Amino acid sequence: QSYLFSASYYVDGSNGDDSSLCDSPANPCETIGGGIAKANVDGDEVIVAGGTYQENIFIQNIFYIFFCISINYSIFKNIV
């Protein structure tokens, strides 16, 4: 399937805040889980800045989320 991105959410572990809108690189979430929580429509995009993220990630709803992640700089633990 092909989706036009409905919305983009940004994550930056060094400069983010999960209580923000996470809708721009200048206003990102702190955690990947925070970005995923904001993404709730098929085709939403979560863009993750380089860094090390040590968190448990739980995706409760099944839908398509597009991740833009540099795997060389990101570490995932317990993706469920």
Side-chain angles (χ1 to χ4, degrees):
Q1 285 183 330
S2 175
Y3 292 97
L4 294 176
F5 296 125
S6 299
S8 296
Y9 299 97
Y10 296 82
V11 176
D12 185 336
S14 298
N15 301 305
D17 180 349
D18 284 350
S19 66
S20 72
L21 294 176
C22 309
D23 59 349
S24 74
N27 192 29
C29 286
E30 179 181 12
T31 64
I32 296 170
I36 291 172
K38 306 272 189 205
N40 58 13
V41 175
D42 278 349
D44 278 359
E45 175 182 45
V46 178
I47 301 170
V48 180
T52 300
Y53 297 86
Q54 295 185 2
E55 58 185 286
N56 294 322
I57 299 173
F58 299 98
I59 301 175
Q60 294 177 352
N61 297 320
I62 297 175
F63 54 90
Y64 292 95
I65 303 175
F66 296 90
F67 288 96
C68 299
I69 301 172
S70 176
I71 297 300
N72 292 333
Y73 299 103
S74 299
I75 297 173
F76 297 93
K77 290 176 56 179
N78 302 323
I79 297 178
V80 177

